[in-house]
Amino acid sequence: METCDECGSMMSSMGDEWICRSCGFNYSDDPGASEDTIETVRNEKSERRSTQNELAKVRKKLKLVTNTVIPLSCPDCSEEGVSLEIQDNSSPEFVCEKCDYRWKPDK
């Protein structure tokens, strides 16, 4: 069974052609491909899966951070209890648990 180079989903074999069921990416088996070429492709796929697994672990850790209350005082209401919120493509923000005031950490 092959995995898609574009999206990582499982591919189906139709004769000498492999087609991704999810994104439609396809390629043909090359009967003249050398074992070195085939092994290189397998290694690249393995490295890509490894990188995707590492990214998933980092994302999981970041979610844990965002759910943690930090013992800091809010600059707006002076109450203690702040969470760190990290969103995709955005810099992190502190959020007061009491008044919902938001601010960026000092750099």
Side-chain angles (χ1 to χ4, degrees):
M1 191 61 87
E2 293 288 321
T3 55
C4 178
D5 291 337
E6 296 296 314
C7 70
S9 297
M10 300 305 278
M11 299 183 76
S12 298
S13 173
M14 299 186 113
D16 65 347
E17 187 172 40
W18 289 89
I19 300 172
C20 178
R21 295 179 197 161
S22 297
C23 72
F25 176 78
N26 63 35
Y27 69 89
S28 295
D29 282 337
D30 181 3
S34 69
E35 268 306 308
D36 289 340
T37 303
I38 293 169
E39 188 62 30
T40 299
V41 170
R42 285 184 184 141
N43 287 340
E44 288 173 355
K45 286 182 180 181
S46 176
E47 288 173 11
R48 190 175 309 122
R49 276 192 295 268
S50 178
T51 301
Q52 289 170 343
N53 290 340
E54 289 300 315
L55 284 173
K57 288 177 187 176
V58 168
R59 286 187 183 116
K60 186 175 181 180
K61 287 179 184 177
L62 287 176
K63 285 182 182 179
L64 292 176
V65 169
T66 60
N67 294 332
T68 303
V69 177
I70 303 166
L72 292 175
S73 295
C74 172
D76 192 49
C77 70
S78 301
E79 292 290 325
E80 190 172 292
V82 173
S83 62
L84 182 62
E85 191 172 282
I86 302 170
Q87 297 179 3
D88 291 340
N89 301 325
S90 177
S91 57
E93 289 184 324
F94 288 119
V95 181
C96 177
E97 295 290 310
K98 305 291 182 201
C99 71
D100 206 35
Y101 179 74
R102 296 171 174 272
W103 73 99
K104 303 255 186 233
D106 293 334
K107 295 182 179 186

